[in-house]
Amino acid sequence: MPADRDEAWAWLAAEHRALLAAIDLAVEHGWPTHAWQLAWSVNTYLDRVGAWPDQSRAQELALRAATAAGDRDGQARAHRNRAVACLRLGAYEEARDHLERSRQLYAELGDRVGGGRTELNLGILAERQDDHRRALDHAQRAHRLFEAAGHAQGQANALNNIGWYHIQLGDYPRALDYCGRALAQQQQTGNRYWEAHAWDSLGCAHHHLGRHREAIDCYQHALALWRETGERYFEAITLMHLGDSQHATAEPDDARVAWRHALDVLDRLGHPDAAQVRSRLDDEPAAR
């Protein structure tokens, strides 16, 4: 067994191809429960390193296997995880179909925590489609579900998302309140990954309020945690935000370094958000 997180991550990096092959074999040889549970186990790793086509394929097999086994919990998880891969890859309508099915299954099962996580994903989908008011509604529904379940980690996640959508809607003081509460709760629960989300959100709120030095400090906290947890996509997003605040403080060279690093990550991931960063780099010479 791996001694710690770093050893576990290194093992996954070395063996995830073998694990994907094992999912195929489990489906082929009629071990559906093994198949969907193995796909679920490797899902976080595939998502964080940006192996989204592999993630999508694994969850497609998981869904097939859980359906064959008549396991509704497995189906709900596979639908939601497949939707996450679709969101990363920009397949929004497919993501919506999977999330709606996941939400229905969790409601039938009476699983408020699973339902809350699905609501958070529906909020992300709405945000990607520029419907921030609907995204906020989903995050608020998620918070109610987590609260009813007594799930502290989920409540903290939902608070941060509520704050993030207030940023998108232009209510920065309220965003600071929600994201600050989220950060405090994340630090209490000890979830470093979601703590990074809260730091990034706080940075954005400070940035929009003109507090660029405070924003830069928040982004630096977030970046350290993204790197610690192996999250590549959100590392790039925080680098993009960091460059924006450095640009606002008349540090164009530092901003370009941050944006270049963000672009490098996004290009390697093949993510469409690379266009936003490339636009910043193209516009900067004219701005200077």
Side-chain angles (χ1 to χ4, degrees):
M1 291 291 291
D4 55 26
R5 183 203 165 279
D6 289 340
E7 282 193 16
W9 207 252
W11 183 84
L12 282 166
E15 301 294 341
H16 86 266
R17 290 288 170 196
L19 293 170
L20 293 172
I23 297 168
D24 275 302
L25 286 171
V27 172
E28 181 181 345
H29 291 285
W31 297 333
T33 300
H34 292 78
W36 82 253
Q37 289 183 349
L38 183 55
W40 177 79
S41 297
V42 79
N43 185 70
T44 296
Y45 171 80
L46 296 174
D47 185 46
R48 290 191 187 176
V49 300
W52 300 313
D54 287 339
Q55 181 187 21
S56 181
R57 168 66 176 160
Q59 295 307 318
E60 178 185 1
L61 292 170
L63 182 56
R64 190 190 312 169
T67 302
D71 190 322
R72 290 190 296 165
D73 177 58
Q75 291 172 54
R77 291 171 187 252
H79 274 297
R80 191 176 75 83
N81 289 336
R82 182 79 187 279
V84 170
C86 291
L87 281 169
R88 304 288 194 228
L89 294 166
Y92 298 141
E93 290 309 311
E94 188 177 356
R96 181 183 303 283
D97 291 342
H98 285 295
L99 288 172
E100 291 294 351
R101 182 60 182 141
S102 180
R103 178 163 64 173
Q104 179 183 348
L105 284 163
Y106 280 129
E108 292 170 2
L109 292 166
D111 185 341
R112 292 189 178 98
V113 173
R117 289 172 175 156
T118 304
E119 291 289 348
L120 289 180
N121 291 134
L122 282 163
I124 294 167
L125 172 61
E127 179 193 2
R128 296 298 293 189
Q129 297 180 313
D130 295 322
D131 191 342
H132 302 299
R133 188 64 65 183
R134 183 159 56 91
L136 177 60
D137 289 343
H138 283 299
Q140 290 169 332
R141 283 189 206 126
H143 189 267
R144 289 194 293 271
L145 286 166
F146 288 128
E147 190 172 42
H151 194 274
Q153 181 65 64
Q155 290 177 64
N157 297 354
L159 284 173
N160 181 66
N161 285 28
I162 290 168
W164 177 257
Y165 299 135
H166 278 302
I167 292 171
Q168 310 312 307
L169 293 165
D171 192 342
Y172 309 123
R174 185 171 292 182
L176 276 178
D177 175 57
Y178 277 106
C179 297
R181 288 161 56 195
L183 177 64
Q185 291 187 27
Q186 298 295 2
Q187 290 172 331
Q188 287 175 359
T189 63
N191 191 312
R192 310 274 280 173
Y193 177 83
W194 286 103
E195 183 184 337
H197 276 289
W199 278 117
D200 180 74
S201 298
L202 282 168
C204 284
H206 282 302
H207 173 84
H208 286 289
L209 288 166
R211 303 169 184 170
H212 302 303
R213 289 295 172 194
E214 290 92 333
I216 289 169
D217 183 63
C218 290
Y219 295 141
Q220 296 290 5
H221 281 290
L223 284 170
L225 292 170
W226 291 138
R227 289 162 182 161
E228 176 187 313
T229 56
E231 170 60 63
R232 301 312 313 281
Y233 170 67
F234 285 111
E235 176 188 355
I237 296 305
T238 297
L239 282 166
M240 180 172 67
H241 295 159
L242 173 63
D244 292 346
S245 288
Q246 289 170 329
H247 185 265
T249 55
E251 300 170 0
D253 293 337
D254 289 341
R256 288 184 66 81
V257 169
W259 290 335
R260 282 197 196 103
H261 286 164
L263 183 60
D264 181 56
V265 173
L266 292 169
D267 276 342
R268 277 186 278 136
L269 294 175
H271 197 281
D273 283 357
Q276 297 179 43
V277 187
R278 193 169 282 109
S279 174
R280 285 164 166 78
L281 287 165
D282 289 345
D283 290 346
E284 170 55 18
R288 289 178 68 187

